[in-house]
């Protein structure tokens, strides 16, 4: 297939011939007008005469609803008139993203754009096509997040999971708990290079989002059919919280952590700590009405609980045999509060080791097997296995790659990402409906700048987008299309990793 579309549509039939297409007038129903306005402004340089948008009559572009299509499905036909039929506005936005890719590369003829006649029928295989960004280990300003959302939408991905707190920083303003940002958003120092080298920069580092910042991120994303999924990760990964409010822990006071890894300092299983988790998570959730919310739950060491009389008494009260089961008290309580407010709840796959909140969606990160286990146990699952979808791992095992979370020979090449398939091989047919889709993770211990984020994300995210859309073929077929697509990204200022780097 020509046209270098990424992700590849389900079906594309070409020809015959070309049209000289000049866009002066669009017809679209009023409810979908914003989708068209965004398309027109995003490509404003292509229409020197300006573009009118009308609700009826004739146009050079006609965008209409089709009842036989799902909300994200579309048909796009390029002829003298370009027509888009879509099941919903998200499908129309996907169609216009593809039309934008065709138009951006087109030559000018007869006062118009030379477009090949083409009929595309398309839609995603997987409803959850996510990208995760850790803004806790390194903080990314609002402008960088908005730009990432644009790139997510450009790849027809549809969720941005924001990891808003960790041991090394708390990144959301919470009015009733001001020390979370006064104290918890700032760390004294950051490792330079591989953490285990023990070299530290001794420079205060931090930042956080205001309520207005998060509203801007939410609205920018919503306009592009990207759902923002906020995560408050508790009761583990809580050292920044404990630096701000030591009374929520059971050990000695601590500073915001200046190391990577897993801190053993976790929230105590006290009424105060359980209420805190519920209150801050529901507060942050309230800034994202109707969105799914992630309650974290990964990597929660139990050493402090094993040493706490209160925790041991609670274990006896609940008949728990393992301290790990105490974690279920947090996830079930916070999840119930979120559900009561209309939020779907997600959690990292460690919740499988304690009590899983009813209806929780499990984000399977440790391996594919946890995803299959969650599905077999009746939970919906988003596949995020680190071996394929952690883009903080090395791009290649060659010497010369910048420091990353993995060490050679452990590397995740774009070819490896491209070869990943969302459905676990061994998952029985009766459990497959639980697989919602997949998500790529950008953990940022070793990603401090926007340019480096680009280097780690692209081209792996391009490969991922096609895996998640469900139309991946072979690396040999994909490579030339990817090369052309990377030029497109480069023209948009993306500092991607060249295919032949190193
Ligand atoms: C594991 S995945 C983590 C993160 C780290 C990441 C580094 C998960 C739920 N926890 O805290 O940043 O590995 O790759």
């Amino acid at each position: 297939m020509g046209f270098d579309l990424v992700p590849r549509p389900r079906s594309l039939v070409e020809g015959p011939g070309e049209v000289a297409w000049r866009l002066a007038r669009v017809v679209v129903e009023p409810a979908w007008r914003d989708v068209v306005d965004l398309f027109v402004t995003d490509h404003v340089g292509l229409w020197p005469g300006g573009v009118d948008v009308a609700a009826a009559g004739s146009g050079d572009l006609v965008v209409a609803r089709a009842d036989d299509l799902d909300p994200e499905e579309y048909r796009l036909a390029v002829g003298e008139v370009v027509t888009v039929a879509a099941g919903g506005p998200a499908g129309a936005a996907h169609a216009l993203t593809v039309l934008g890719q065709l138009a951006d590369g087109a030559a000018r003829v007869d006062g118009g754009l030379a477009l090949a006649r083409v009929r595309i029928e398309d839609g995603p295989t997987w409803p959850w096509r996510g990208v995760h960004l850790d803004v806790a280990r390194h903080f990314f300003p609002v402008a960088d997040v908005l730009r990432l959302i644009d790139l997510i939408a450009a790849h027809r991905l549809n969720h941005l999971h924001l990891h808003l707190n960790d041991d090394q920083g708390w990144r959301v303003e919470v009015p009733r708990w001001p020390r979370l940002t006064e104290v918890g958003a700032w760390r004294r120092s950051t490792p330079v290079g591989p953490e285990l080298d023990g070299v530290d920069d001794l420079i205060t580092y931090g930042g956080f989002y205001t309520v207005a910042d998060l509203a801007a991120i939410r609205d920018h994303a919503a306009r592009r059919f990207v759902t923002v999924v906020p995560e408050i990760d508790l009761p583990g990964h809580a050292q920044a919280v404990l630096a701000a409010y030591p009374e929520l822990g059971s050990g000695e006071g601590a500073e915001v952590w200046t190391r990577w890894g897993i801190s053993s300092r976790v929230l105590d299983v006290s009424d105060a700590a359980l209420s805190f988790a519920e209150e801050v998570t529901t507060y942050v959730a309230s800034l994202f009405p109707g969105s799914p919310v992630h309650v974290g739950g990964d990597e929660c060491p139990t050493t402090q609980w094993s040493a706490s009389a209160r925790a041991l008494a609670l274990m006896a009260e609940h008949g728990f045999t393992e301290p790990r089961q105490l974690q279920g008290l947090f996830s079930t309580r916070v999840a119930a509060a979120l559900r009561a407010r209309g939020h779907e709840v997600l959690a990292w796959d460690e919740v499988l080791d304690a009590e899983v909140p009813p209806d929780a969606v499990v984000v399977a990160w440790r391996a594919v097997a946890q995803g299959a286990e969650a599905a077999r146990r009746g939970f919906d699952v988003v596949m995020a296995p680190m071996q394929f979808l952690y883009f903080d791992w090395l791009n290649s095992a060659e010497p010369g790659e910048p420091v990353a979370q993995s060490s050679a020979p452990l590397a995740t090449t774009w070819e490896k990402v491209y070869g990943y398939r969302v459905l676990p091989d061994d998952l029985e047919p009766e459990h497959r409906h639980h697989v919602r889709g997949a998500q790529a993770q950008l953990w940022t211990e070793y990603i401090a700048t926007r340019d480096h984020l680009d280097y780690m994300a692209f081209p792996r995210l391009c490969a991922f987008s096609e895996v998640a859309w469900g139309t991946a073929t072979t690396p040999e077929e994909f490579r030339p299309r990817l090369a052309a697509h990377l030029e497109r990204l480069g023209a948009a200022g993306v500092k991607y990793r060249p295919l032949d780097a190193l």
Side-chain angles (χ1 to χ4, degrees):
M1 185 192 315
F3 307 101
D4 304 320
L5 299 173
V6 175
R8 193 176 72 90
R10 268 184 204 158
S11 125
L12 181 152
V13 179
E14 191 182 348
E18 289 191 340
V19 292
W21 187 60
R22 196 175 79 84
L23 179 61
R25 193 159 189 278
V26 188
V27 176
V28 60
E29 66 174 275
W32 291 10
R33 182 175 169 135
D34 189 56
V35 177
V36 167
D37 286 344
L38 195 59
F39 169 72
V40 170
T41 46
D42 277 354
H43 301 275
V44 71
L46 294 178
W47 351 103
V51 177
D52 289 331
V53 183
S58 60
D60 315 295
L61 171 62
V62 177
V63 179
R65 189 187 298 268
D67 291 335
D68 62 320
L69 298 177
D70 286 344
E72 285 203 277
E73 289 181 326
Y74 68 89
R75 288 189 285 268
L76 167 67
V78 176
E80 264 75 39
V81 171
V82 174
T83 60
V84 168
H94 294 325
L96 295 180
T97 300
V98 170
L99 179 60
Q101 288 191 349
L102 298 174
D104 273 336
R108 288 201 170 268
V109 285
D110 303 337
L113 301 168
L115 299 185
R117 287 179 193 268
V118 66
R119 303 181 77 84
I120 293 175
E121 296 193 2
D122 196 20
T125 302
W126 302 104
W128 190 292
R129 305 181 304 280
V131 177
H132 153 289
L133 177 65
D134 169 12
V135 293
R137 274 53 176 273
H138 281 100
F139 179 68
F140 289 83
V142 174
D144 292 354
V145 178
L146 301 187
R147 176 178 172 276
L148 180 63
I149 289 167
D150 293 346
L151 289 164
I152 287 171
H155 289 83
R156 309 206 297 279
L157 299 166
N158 65 357
H159 287 82
L160 171 63
H161 168 177
L162 275 185
H163 183 76
L164 288 167
N165 73 294
D166 216 298
D167 296 308
Q168 299 83 1
W170 179 280
R171 305 282 175 234
V172 205
E173 182 182 58
V174 183
R176 273 181 35 90
W177 299 85
R179 286 173 60 82
L180 286 174
T181 40
E182 285 165 13
V183 175
W186 308 97
R187 65 172 175 259
R188 187 177 46 76
S189 179
T190 300
V192 178
E195 200 250 336
L196 294 175
D197 288 1
V199 182
D200 301 315
D201 68 5
L202 304 178
I203 297 170
T204 300
Y205 179 92
F208 61 89
Y209 302 117
T210 64
V211 170
D213 291 339
L214 290 178
I217 290 170
R218 177 197 66 209
D219 295 347
H220 187 90
R223 244 192 121 184
R224 290 156 182 81
F225 302 93
V226 174
T227 301
V228 177
V229 181
E231 177 190 356
I232 296 297
D233 191 3
L234 296 171
H237 288 287
Q239 188 164 326
V241 172
L242 297 175
Y245 296 101
E247 62 273 24
L248 298 174
S250 61
E252 288 173 8
E255 61 174 1
V256 178
W257 213 24
T258 59
R259 319 271 8 118
W260 307 136
I262 308 171
S263 168
S264 59
R265 296 170 201 268
V266 305
L267 293 192
D268 193 9
V269 275
S270 61
D271 288 341
L274 285 158
S275 302
F276 168 82
E278 176 177 336
E279 187 187 322
V280 293
T281 308
T282 53
Y283 171 74
V284 173
S286 74
L287 307 175
F288 297 88
S291 278
V293 173
H294 197 297
V295 298
D298 62 316
E299 300 178 330
C300 181
T302 53
T303 36
Q304 289 194 323
W305 293 343
S306 300
S308 145
R310 187 197 331 254
L312 296 174
L314 260 178
M315 277 183 63
E317 191 182 308
H318 288 274
F320 293 159
T321 51
E322 305 271 346
R324 172 146 314 288
Q325 293 170 279
L326 290 165
Q327 193 178 329
L329 300 178
F330 281 92
S331 40
T332 50
R333 171 151 170 191
V334 175
L338 289 169
R339 265 201 316 280
R341 291 163 175 78
H343 297 280
E344 181 162 62
V345 175
L346 288 87
W348 296 115
D349 66 46
E350 280 93 335
V351 292
L352 295 169
D353 307 339
E355 191 184 347
V356 189
D359 303 331
V361 179
V362 173
V363 184
W365 73 274
R366 285 179 292 181
V368 169
Q370 275 79 12
E373 179 192 339
R376 286 190 188 110
R377 284 172 57 181
F379 297 102
D380 277 7
V381 55
V382 172
M383 299 300 298
M386 62 177 170
Q387 299 80 1
F388 297 92
L389 299 183
Y390 270 35
F391 295 171
D392 57 338
W393 287 25
L394 287 169
N395 269 292
S396 84
E398 304 302 316
E401 286 291 349
V403 176
Q405 179 68 33
S406 71
S407 311
L410 225 49
T412 306
T413 59
W414 68 262
E415 290 95 334
K416 180 165 184 187
V417 176
Y418 198 70
Y420 173 69
R421 292 295 177 268
V422 176
L423 206 58
D425 282 340
D426 62 345
L427 189 63
E428 301 76 8
E430 67 269 29
H431 301 302
R432 291 185 186 158
H433 68 278
H434 283 302
V435 178
R436 292 262 188 105
Q439 185 166 282
Q441 274 53 233
L442 287 161
W443 296 101
T444 58
E445 288 94 332
Y446 295 104
I447 306 177
T449 65
R450 187 180 100 174
D451 284 357
H452 194 51
L453 192 72
D454 281 0
Y455 180 91
M456 299 304 274
F458 300 99
R460 290 185 288 193
L461 205 64
C462 311
F464 170 72
S465 74
E466 198 152 304
V467 170
W469 193 259
T471 52
T473 57
T474 61
E476 294 70 34
E477 184 279 325
F478 183 50
R479 189 183 164 106
R481 227 158 17 90
L482 177 59
H485 179 66
L486 288 175
E487 282 184 30
R488 189 181 279 147
L489 292 180
V494 176
K495 302 277 193 282
Y496 62 86
R497 179 184 185 278
L499 293 180
D500 49 10
L502 306 180

